[in-house]
Amino acid sequence: MAFLFLSYLATFACVIRGRRSAALAGLALSTALSVAMFFHHTTSGLELNF
Amino acid sequence: MENRPLLYTVNSACMLGLSLVLVGAFYFQYGLGETPCPLCLLQRMGMFGVLVGLALNTAFGFRQEHAAVIIGAALVGGSFSVRQILLHIAPVEGEPAGYGSAVLGMHLYTWAAIVFLTTIAGTAVFLCLTRDEPAGTVRRPTPFDRGALLFVTIICLANALATFVECGAGACCENGPCP
């Protein structure tokens, strides 16, 4: 899951560098990946449901 | 009518406040030795989504799109929190209620849900108080704004490193990397 935090970090880097469109795209990608990980967790097994 | 500088200061203060919540999560992780669960990490990501929206306000001025980003991220993070609340809503007899330590009688995921709800309510207030900056606006943030933005970025980097140490590059299970 560390790569998900890295995608948010890249989004912050885009904000700091003044690239608004890239930041919005990065956030959309990060959120989509987070939701995908959530569904992976909720459908894979009980050991992931914490 | 221009947006008052005070509103941008409040925006940055909200960034710092939410960052301190994430610092508090680090206290539970390293101070109390409670390894964060997968859903806990996902809730942190929801908070970073909210922080991205606040950072967009700092860098490019108040825009309705940024408010939409904040509300959307809060809804996603709030969904993760509610999922975890529902998982522990009916404790098994003889086993500890909830997951992890409680703060003021509520577990961290319940507090996270409250934070996300408060974020949505706060954004509604901001939408009433602010006006859209013209398209293409790039603000010159104050030192306080820049400090808040840098602090948030450092906390995000710290989360990436901590998660890598805990789970490696893959998915996390209850107590570390998935087998």
Side-chain angles (χ1 to χ4, degrees), chain A residues 7-23:
Chain A
S7 67
Y8 280 100
L9 187 64
T11 306
F12 281 116
C14 291
V15 173
I16 290 169
R17 292 179 66 84
R19 296 171 182 238
R20 183 171 176 271
S21 301

Side-chain angles (χ1 to χ4, degrees), chain A residues 1-6 8-9 11-12 15-16 18-20 24 27 31 34-35 38 41-42 47-50, chain B residues 37-39 42 45 48 55 60 66 69 80 83-84 99 152-153 156-157 159-160 163-164 170 172-174 178:
Chain A
M1 293 174 84
F3 73 92
L4 285 171
F5 283 110
L6 285 177
Y8 280 100
L9 187 64
T11 306
F12 281 116
V15 173
I16 290 169
R19 296 171 182 238
R20 183 171 176 271
L24 289 173
L27 180 65
T31 306
S34 303
V35 172
F38 173 71
H41 276 214
T42 52
E47 74 276 10
L48 291 167
N49 279 292
F50 286 95
Chain B
C37 52
L39 282 173
L42 286 168
M45 289 172 203
F48 279 116
F60 305 104
H66 304 163
V69 163
F80 300 156
R83 161 75 176 167
Q84 196 164 17
Y99 184 87
V152 166
T153 308
C156 189
L157 175 63
N159 269 281
T163 308
F164 185 76
C172 290
C173 278
E174 184 187 0
C178 293

Side-chain angles (χ1 to χ4, degrees), chain B residues 4-95:
Chain B
R4 293 178 186 171
L6 176 65
L7 288 171
Y8 284 105
T9 305
V10 173
N11 183 78
S12 295
C14 290
M15 284 174 72
L16 279 179
L18 197 49
S19 303
L20 289 178
V21 172
L22 291 160
V23 171
F26 268 133
Y27 169 72
F28 276 82
Q29 183 170 350
Y30 292 109
L32 303 181
E34 293 186 8
T35 311
C37 52
L39 282 173
C40 311
L41 292 172
L42 286 168
Q43 286 161 55
R44 290 187 196 182
M45 289 172 203
M47 291 185 189
F48 279 116
V50 170
L51 285 167
V52 167
L54 293 170
L56 286 168
N57 281 340
T58 295
F60 305 104
F62 290 115
R63 300 276 297 272
Q64 284 183 5
E65 293 97 323
H66 304 163
V69 163
I70 295 169
I71 292 171
L75 284 173
V76 169
S79 304
F80 300 156
S81 303
V82 169
R83 161 75 176 167
Q84 196 164 17
I85 290 170
L86 293 176
L87 281 170
H88 300 288
I89 202 165
V92 179
E93 203 172 314
E95 290 185 17

